[in-house]
Amino acid sequence: EELSDVERHELLSQKLAQCTVVFDFQNLNENLEGKEAKQTTLTEIFGYISERTGVITPDLYPNLFKMVSANLFRTIPPQINAFGDPFDPEEDEPREEAAWPHLCLVYHIFLRFLESGDFNQGVARSYIDNAFTMQLLELFDCEDVRERESLKTVLHRIYGKMLNMRSFIRKSINHIFLQFIYETQRHNGIAELLEILGSIINGFTVPLKEEHIGFLHRVLLPLHKARPMALYYAQLSYCTVQFLEKDPGLAETILRSLLRFWPKVNSPKEVMFVSEIESIMDVIEPAQFAAVCQPLFQQVVKCIVSPHFQVAERTLGMWRNNYFVSMITDNIHLILPIALSGIYRHSRSHWNRNIHNQV
């Protein structure tokens, strides 16, 4: 409190430089005093820039970005189960980053900087470039969900503030998705990246650009093929519906793609596909439904007569949607020949009494 503004400014610069020192958290008992001092310093920096405006001036940007880069950009430890099944949050113990007490504060400081009214986009362009953004995106494959949540918020703010980086961010995320679909089928951050894309898609102007429609066809819809779809199903379904709300004319293309990628021997995944179909039914236009109702009901009938009762039950639940039922009624002449014989035949022989009664 006794320092002048100039002295405070110099002290902040020194503290940012001091926090570029990175400690080894693999050995918890090593350098305890240094770790505690750094945590205290980071807390002081965050408190200072949160309480005051105009404190991070352009001359502090070099030290700030050095501190952020030194702490965040690191080699991610190899996955615990690198060659087995992907991490399942419901079954597996979460892996937590040992250095999180420091990293958490660094993310808070960087986020406060990005959200500040004093943020200078022109100066920041020299630091938030393709290389910096690419290193942030690489961190999305970390196993600590807390860090991925922080990264999601940071990248979203960068996308909102740095207009010159938007195209690069979208293309880089596309590349991560394509690599996941066709090469690795392993990535910890697909759900978080889809959440970011959900917000981006929501901001697309209409009519949609060819680039955006191309992303839907080449990247978003093929994500339904990947084996670990359960880990990001909710976010993927949201993105798909966002596209439909922007352009209802895409409904036929989306539904035909889902039918093409429909799982053959994975009942839990089938339940997810049925749920997504129902979400699409809420926003589809009658003309689009009429165009695709015949191939759609060939699959719907297979689901109703499925020996897996959850698939059958979830599909029959679609009849609680009055809009869906009204579209069936309008197209009954197309649907009845496909649906009647199969449903009638299996309604008398399904092993589950509840399904038998609903059919």
Side-chain angles (χ1 to χ4, degrees):
E1 292 298 327
E2 298 172 0
L3 298 177
S4 67
D5 287 345
V6 174
E7 289 172 322
R8 281 201 194 98
H9 188 77
E10 180 58 31
L11 183 59
L12 177 59
S13 178
Q14 290 172 4
K15 284 180 181 287
L16 286 169
Q18 181 186 350
C19 289
T20 58
V21 178
V22 178
F23 291 95
D24 180 11
F25 276 81
Q26 297 307 311
N27 186 344
L28 294 177
N29 297 318
E30 187 178 276
N31 254 321
L32 288 176
E33 205 172 304
K35 289 172 184 173
E36 186 63 38
K38 180 176 176 180
Q39 188 160 344
T40 302
T41 305
L42 287 168
T43 305
E44 288 171 357
I45 293 170
F46 178 65
Y48 183 69
I49 66 173
S50 298
E51 292 164 6
R52 299 168 183 266
T53 58
V55 291
I56 298 189
T57 51
D59 61 301
L60 286 179
Y61 281 30
N63 277 359
L64 174 73
F65 278 93
K66 277 180 193 169
M67 187 274 288
V68 169
S69 299
N71 284 277
L72 300 188
F73 301 153
R74 64 206 189 277
T75 303
I76 297 172
Q79 295 187 4
I80 296 172
N81 185 16
F83 302 104
D85 290 333
F87 175 81
D88 184 341
E90 294 184 4
E91 297 289 336
D92 301 326
E93 284 292 322
R95 180 169 180 173
E96 297 186 343
E97 172 59 57
W100 184 246
H102 288 181
L103 292 177
C104 175
L105 287 164
V106 173
Y107 278 113
H108 284 332
I109 290 166
F110 191 44
L111 197 55
R112 182 70 189 88
F113 161 69
L114 291 171
E115 292 173 343
S116 166
D118 308 313
F119 177 77
N120 189 319
Q121 184 184 333
V123 178
R125 280 188 178 200
S126 304
Y127 303 96
I128 303 177
D129 54 10
N130 291 4
F132 182 89
T133 307
M134 201 66 231
Q135 286 179 289
L136 274 180
L137 285 166
E138 286 170 3
L139 291 173
F140 273 91
D141 200 20
C142 68
E143 293 191 74
D144 193 324
V145 67
R146 299 169 302 177
E147 181 162 13
R148 297 202 303 272
E149 282 296 314
S150 297
L151 282 163
K152 181 181 71 179
T153 311
V154 164
L155 191 66
H156 201 271
R157 296 294 178 273
I158 289 174
Y159 190 89
K161 296 265 187 177
M162 308 296 291
L163 303 186
N164 61 308
M165 293 302 300
R166 288 186 173 183
S167 177
F168 177 79
I169 290 172
R170 290 197 303 270
K171 287 175 182 174
S172 299
I173 293 175
N174 287 2
H175 176 72
I176 291 171
F177 286 158
L178 289 170
Q179 195 172 42
F180 169 75
I181 297 164
Y182 297 109
E183 293 180 21
T184 63
Q185 296 262 318
R186 300 185 70 87
H187 195 286
N188 292 307
I190 299 297
E192 287 81 8
L193 290 170
L194 281 169
E195 269 191 69
I196 294 169
L197 276 172
S199 299
I200 292 172
I201 294 164
N202 195 30
F204 284 168
T205 54
V206 290
L208 292 171
K209 296 177 182 176
E210 282 301 315
E211 174 205 339
H212 302 151
I213 295 173
F215 163 72
L216 171 70
H217 292 155
R218 292 187 306 104
V219 183
L220 202 62
L221 292 174
L223 276 168
H224 290 85
K225 295 194 298 186
R227 193 161 55 93
M229 193 188 94
L231 302 179
Y232 55 82
Y233 152 71
Q235 294 84 357
L236 179 59
S237 180
Y238 176 77
C239 288
T240 306
V241 172
Q242 285 289 303
F243 264 106
L244 266 181
E245 290 181 347
K246 292 288 179 182
D247 184 356
L250 293 169
E252 184 178 353
T253 305
I254 290 171
L255 284 169
R256 289 188 185 277
S257 293
L258 287 177
L259 295 173
R260 189 166 75 252
F261 298 140
W262 202 276
K264 301 292 189 291
V265 290
N266 188 335
S267 298
K269 196 171 176 181
E270 265 196 285
V271 173
M272 293 176 214
F273 270 61
V274 173
S275 297
E276 188 163 356
I277 293 286
E278 185 171 24
S279 298
I280 292 169
M281 290 301 109
D282 286 334
V283 296
I284 195 171
E285 294 186 346
Q288 296 287 323
F289 179 84
V292 79
C293 67
Q294 288 177 298
L296 173 62
F297 265 81
Q298 287 171 354
Q299 186 60 57
V300 166
V301 170
K302 289 179 186 175
C303 291
I304 290 173
V305 303
S306 169
H308 195 289
F309 82 96
Q310 286 180 329
V311 175
E313 190 173 54
R314 188 69 191 83
T315 309
L316 288 166
M318 292 171 67
W319 266 260
R320 290 193 287 268
N321 184 323
N322 292 331
Y323 181 51
F324 177 64
V325 171
S326 72
M327 289 190 292
I328 294 174
T329 306
D330 293 341
N331 295 277
I332 196 70
H333 60 290
L334 298 172
I335 294 168
L336 200 60
I338 297 167
L340 184 60
S341 62
I343 292 176
Y344 178 76
R345 187 168 64 252
H346 285 79
S347 70
R348 308 181 68 80
S349 59
H350 200 284
W351 66 271
N352 186 291
R353 177 58 54 186
N354 188 33
I355 300 299
H356 187 162
N357 293 337
Q358 285 188 62
V359 170

